[in-house]
Amino acid sequence: MSFEEQQDFARQVADLNKYGQELNRCESVDEVASLTLEAMSLLFGFSSSTFVEVREDDLLVVHSTNPTLAQGEQPSDLARRAREANETLVERGAEAGITADSDVAGALAVPARMGDEVTAVLVTRSQTVEEFGDEYVKPMEILATHAATAISNIRSRERLERAHRDLERRKEMIEMYDRLLRHDLGNDLQVIAGFADAVAGEVDGQTAEYAGKIQRAAESAGDLIERVGDLVSTLEAQDNPEPRDLASVLGDTVRDVRDNYESLSVDFEASDFDYQVYGGDLLDSVFTNIMSNAAVHNDGEVSMRVYPAEVGPDEVTVCFADDGAGISPDLREDIFEMGVKGQESPGTGFGLGFVRALTESYGGNVSVAESDGGGAEFRVTLERV
């Protein structure tokens, strides 16, 4: 008889699902760990258990009822091996204990995962149970799945809250720069341009030429301030990130770019982007800027492939790879700074700065490297819902 056919399986799954519902109400990993250890104790009778969190390739004990392990410590080798193997591991006899003189008979380590990502490892050790069969492994794996779901939801909320805080800080900085540029510096430039015009009317020769140059420089700087002011006002008006259908936003953007730039051919499959991501009303502007750059800054026909990469439970990366002239390696680190552009670029240098500011306001990031075709490959990483 398989484990699923045993009489108490349905009751045990029902109990586990109740804990799953409670786990999804937790607001921190600490709460998830405490509730998971409670379930391991009450449902399975495990009195020596440990909850290990996996974050950015680091493993730390969150909670443990094992007296030899404390919060914040490194876990046992069994937990690390279960995480690396991404599968349930069982040990028995002398190898099951943490110390050489341990009287532990058996140990069980179950990775809690979302997709292929392990977010935690549940470890239990017993002095009486040596063989952890399906009657223990199967329900423990169900509990681990509930814990992984809860942790993933918590991390998503944390990332969104960080994005909200970053957006508020950016809005404060934008307001300050807007006042500084448009009011203080703008007024000074108007004064400079006015006096230069007055001087030019009173003198002649080289002095008049210099006065004219001063006036033109002041007017050019004033125009630049207006363009920057329009940009920061757009960023300031951004709402908090909300769930967006990535395939729909990308599909509309690709269609518009194809219509506007005959020299650019785009390889794109909407079905590859069936994800919900956090973004704002200007998410399409991020994609439009990147794709249109390939057409504007290259001579002749340019091909671009738009494809997903590094898709995980929390993030998805959209890649825009073209076969154009590419971006010089010494410029790639600075290309997203406001006003930075290549020597041959006819643009203002604000487009990619705008792209980075918007993407980061959504809790994501953007980078550029060389594509397989020798051109540029822009990678936009966004938070998944």
Side-chain angles (χ1 to χ4, degrees):
M1 180 185 296
S2 69
F3 171 65
E4 288 81 358
E5 294 172 334
Q6 293 180 20
Q7 186 174 2
D8 61 348
F9 173 69
R11 176 191 58 77
Q12 200 166 37
V13 169
D15 290 339
L16 288 167
N17 287 338
K18 289 179 182 178
Y19 268 102
Q21 294 172 1
E22 291 299 319
L23 285 167
N24 279 328
R25 297 189 182 98
C26 293
E27 296 183 357
S28 68
V29 175
D30 189 77
E31 290 182 25
V32 172
S34 296
L35 193 58
T36 302
L37 292 185
E38 176 187 303
M40 293 169 69
S41 174
L42 295 180
L43 299 183
F44 310 116
F46 296 152
S47 59
S48 180
S49 301
T50 304
F51 189 102
V52 179
E53 183 184 11
V54 181
R55 185 185 286 267
E56 297 178 355
D57 290 332
D58 193 19
L59 283 73
L60 290 176
V61 173
V62 179
H63 279 301
S64 181
T65 56
N66 188 321
T68 62
L69 291 172
Q71 185 176 15
E73 289 185 348
Q74 294 292 312
S76 65
D77 181 62
L78 176 61
R80 292 189 179 279
R81 287 190 286 110
R83 184 257 174 160
E84 291 170 0
N86 197 3
E87 62 182 25
T88 299
L89 297 182
V90 176
E91 287 186 341
R92 58 187 62 85
E95 295 180 353
I98 297 178
T99 59
D101 59 348
S102 172
D103 56 358
V104 170
L108 171 68
V110 181
R113 53 181 175 256
M114 285 291 292
D116 292 330
E117 182 186 15
V118 178
T119 59
V121 180
L122 313 186
V123 182
T124 191
R125 289 178 165 83
S126 175
Q127 296 175 346
T128 58
V129 179
E130 182 175 358
E131 294 292 338
F132 284 94
D134 281 352
E135 70 275 16
Y136 293 109
V137 171
K138 295 293 186 182
M140 276 286 288
E141 288 177 343
I142 294 174
L143 178 61
T145 299
H146 289 315
T149 301
I151 291 175
S152 179
N153 291 338
I154 289 168
R155 290 180 179 175
S156 294
R157 289 196 298 268
E158 289 175 349
R159 283 190 291 271
L160 184 58
E161 288 169 1
R162 284 197 299 270
H164 287 175
R165 291 194 297 270
D166 290 344
L167 182 58
E168 290 304 315
R169 286 194 293 268
R170 286 180 181 275
K171 285 184 176 181
E172 293 175 0
M173 293 298 295
I174 286 170
E175 290 173 1
M176 181 185 73
Y177 280 117
D178 195 30
R179 290 194 300 270
L180 175 65
L181 288 171
R182 294 207 194 206
H183 185 266
D184 299 343
L185 188 55
N187 287 348
D188 289 344
L189 287 171
Q190 288 181 4
V191 172
I192 292 172
F195 277 112
D197 184 49
V199 170
E202 298 294 331
V203 298
D204 53 20
Q206 193 174 52
T207 304
E209 180 183 348
Y210 289 160
K213 290 182 177 179
I214 294 172
Q215 181 185 20
R216 288 190 295 274
E219 290 174 348
S220 177
D223 290 341
L224 180 59
I225 286 174
E226 282 301 312
R227 291 200 298 272
V228 174
D230 291 341
L231 173 61
V232 296
S233 294
T234 300
L235 292 174
E236 185 181 3
Q238 272 291 285
D239 294 327
N240 288 331
E242 295 180 351
R244 305 281 173 181
D245 184 73
L246 182 58
S248 176
V249 176
L250 269 174
D252 291 344
T253 306
V254 169
R255 184 193 62 241
D256 292 343
V257 169
R258 283 171 172 164
D259 291 342
N260 292 331
Y261 301 98
E262 294 182 358
S263 63
L264 179 65
S265 61
V266 182
D267 179 11
F268 165 78
E269 290 292 338
S271 59
D272 293 338
F273 296 93
D274 188 19
Y275 306 106
Q276 291 285 308
V277 298
Y278 287 111
D281 292 335
L282 295 177
L283 179 59
D284 60 332
S285 295
V286 171
F287 303 144
T288 298
N289 265 283
I290 292 174
M291 286 192 278
S292 62
N293 272 349
V296 172
H297 298 297
N298 287 288
D299 297 328
E301 300 289 329
V302 181
S303 298
M304 172 178 285
R305 180 185 172 215
V306 182
Y307 66 97
E310 299 177 10
V311 177
D314 304 318
E315 295 178 337
V316 58
T317 297
V318 185
C319 295
F320 302 85
D322 65 58
D323 60 358
I327 297 174
S328 173
D330 59 358
L331 192 60
R332 290 172 192 163
E333 292 296 324
D334 302 323
I335 197 68
F336 298 104
E337 298 294 333
M338 290 292 185
V340 174
K341 61 179 182 177
Q343 292 182 349
E344 305 300 325
S345 173
T348 62
F350 292 124
L352 291 177
F354 182 69
V355 165
R356 184 177 72 171
L358 279 175
T359 304
E360 290 182 351
S361 76
Y362 302 149
N365 61 77
V366 60
S367 63
V368 64
E370 183 177 347
S371 71
D372 292 340
E377 179 176 282
F378 287 88
R379 301 169 69 89
V380 178
T381 300
L382 298 166
E383 300 288 345
R384 288 186 60 182
V385 178

